[in-house]
């Protein structure tokens, strides 16, 4: 069975106010990466300068990206049964 390891980049540190700007994930089987998922997400708000300094992600990089309502179902499809306890 594969496991999924993922990383999120956001517009800040608040889980309530801030938005996801990038999702990166890999599926790992027996210590080997078997699949990758990586996409920017348009947060529909400006990325603070401090976050751009931290992540190197700019408004220009996300302006044409899909929004989270489009990206999240794709990410959940990628995860599939690779995350124990996922739907």
């Amino acid at each position: 069975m594969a496991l999924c390891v993922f990383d999120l980049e956001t517009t800040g540190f608040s889980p309530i106010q801030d938005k996801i700007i990038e999702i990166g994930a890999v599926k790992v089987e027996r210590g080997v990466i078997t699949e990758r998922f990586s996409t920017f997400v348009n947060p529909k708000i400006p990325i603070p300068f401090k976050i751009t300094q931290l992540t190197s992600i700019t408004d220009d990089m996300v302006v044409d990206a899909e929004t989270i309502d489009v990206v999240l179902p794709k990410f959940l499809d990628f995860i599939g049964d690779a995350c124990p306890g996922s739907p």
Side-chain angles (χ1 to χ4, degrees), residues 3 7 10 13-17 22 28 34-36 43 46 52 59-60 63 65-67 72 74 84:
L3 294 178
D7 177 56
T10 63
F13 301 106
S14 169
I16 296 167
Q17 294 178 340
E22 183 181 30
V28 180
T34 58
E35 290 184 67
R36 297 175 186 274
T52 294
D59 290 325
D60 289 340
V63 70
E66 296 172 318
T67 56
L72 189 56
K74 293 177 182 181

Side-chain angles (χ1 to χ4, degrees), residues 2-3 13 26-27 29 32 38 40-42 46 50-51 55 58 61 69 78 85:
L3 294 178
F13 301 106
V26 294
K27 284 186 182 177
E29 292 185 59
V32 177
S38 179
F40 287 121
V41 180
N42 186 332
K50 223 172 152 177
I51 297 302
T55 65
T58 66
M61 295 166 76
D69 59 319
F78 172 80

